[in-house]
Amino acid sequence: MATHFWGDTAVLTGRTMRHVTRSLDTIITTAITPVAMMLLFVYVFGGAIDTGTVSYVNYMLPGILLITIASGISYTAFRLFADMQGGIFERFQSMPIARSGVLWAHVLTSLVANVISLVVVVGVALLMGFRSGAGVLAWLAVAGILILVTLSLTWMAVVPGLTAKTVDGASAFSYPLIFLPFISSAFVPTDTMPGPVRAFAEHQPVTSIVNTIRALFTQQPVGTDIWIALAWCVGILIVAYIFATVSYRRRIS
């Protein structure tokens, strides 16, 4: 049964990956847009923001990486919605394939596509002056956190992809996720914010994730931020996975 599941998932993942590579707008949205934002913040706003001894490109890169993921997972919802409307799911039900493999194919495609986008963004950041003395273990920890964030948000994207009534509704859920880093420590220190905004910024998931990645890049102690970040990611992943699987069963029943 396990071999059957993984084989079917691999075939279905290949199908969805081909759709991604043929869609130029997907590549532009998930990679070029965050790069454009990074250029804007560093070269236009960066000189007006005091980040101490840390260069602004180093300071804001973790937030840009999260925006890259949030932008990318909207296409997961879009692709799922397109499959639902195109009758692909009904066609798959008539075939001897693992039903859960359909969802996992979209999730794995999102993971691969987002990893590619993240590598592009980091590459551009290096050209812009980003430098890190982090060792291999720290880079692996950053990669692990970003993968966990991608999986969490991707399973969240599955729900509107399965339940939305319109294509706009399927992808619009990602807009608040893209906006959330702006009300966090991603671009400016939270101690510069007014009281209520600062309270929200310091207690939402993006800040703990950004602070953890930033500390790993700069070889600073991560403190309790890493545990808070992991708790947020795992909690979101579990809840999103449950809602996604329930929604999927209802749609195919």
Side-chain angles (χ1 to χ4, degrees), residues 74-251:
S74 66
Y75 277 89
T76 301
F78 171 78
R79 286 189 294 268
L80 271 167
F81 178 83
D83 279 355
M84 294 295 297
Q85 296 300 306
I88 298 297
F89 279 56
E90 288 78 5
R91 198 176 308 166
F92 285 156
Q93 287 181 56
S94 64
M95 301 178 181
I97 62 175
R99 291 188 175 184
S100 57
V102 178
L103 285 188
W104 275 104
H106 283 280
V107 171
L108 293 177
T109 297
S110 172
L111 183 60
V112 172
N114 275 288
V115 166
I116 294 171
S117 297
L118 290 169
V119 170
V120 171
V121 171
V122 171
V124 174
L126 288 169
L127 294 175
M128 294 171 62
F130 169 72
R131 296 294 181 269
S132 172
V136 174
L137 290 179
W139 275 100
L140 289 176
V142 170
I145 292 170
L146 292 175
I147 288 173
L148 185 57
V149 170
T150 302
L151 288 174
S152 301
L153 297 186
T154 297
W155 279 108
M156 188 186 296
V158 168
V159 178
L162 293 172
T163 60
K165 302 301 182 182
T166 65
V167 64
D168 291 334
S171 56
F173 88 101
S174 66
Y175 299 153
L177 298 178
I178 294 172
F179 181 72
L180 202 56
F182 293 98
I183 315 176
S184 73
S185 64
F187 299 106
V188 297
T190 56
D191 56 14
T192 63
M193 301 176 182
V197 178
R198 177 178 178 178
F200 174 80
E202 292 180 346
H203 296 90
Q204 57 120 322
V206 171
T207 291
S208 58
I209 297 169
V210 163
N211 288 347
T212 299
I213 295 174
R214 187 178 291 140
L216 290 168
F217 278 152
T218 57
Q219 298 175 290
Q220 298 296 317
V222 293
T224 58
D225 279 320
I226 189 170
W227 303 115
I228 297 172
L230 291 175
W232 273 111
C233 291
V234 172
I236 293 171
L237 176 59
I238 292 172
V239 173
Y241 178 79
I242 292 172
F243 274 93
T245 52
V246 169
S247 299
Y248 182 54
R249 288 169 185 164
R250 287 178 177 174
R251 291 304 301 262

Side-chain angles (χ1 to χ4, degrees), residues 1-12 95-101:
M1 179 66 77
T3 303
H4 179 52
F5 165 77
W6 288 113
D8 291 343
T9 301
V11 172
L12 294 169
M95 301 178 181
I97 62 175
R99 291 188 175 184
S100 57

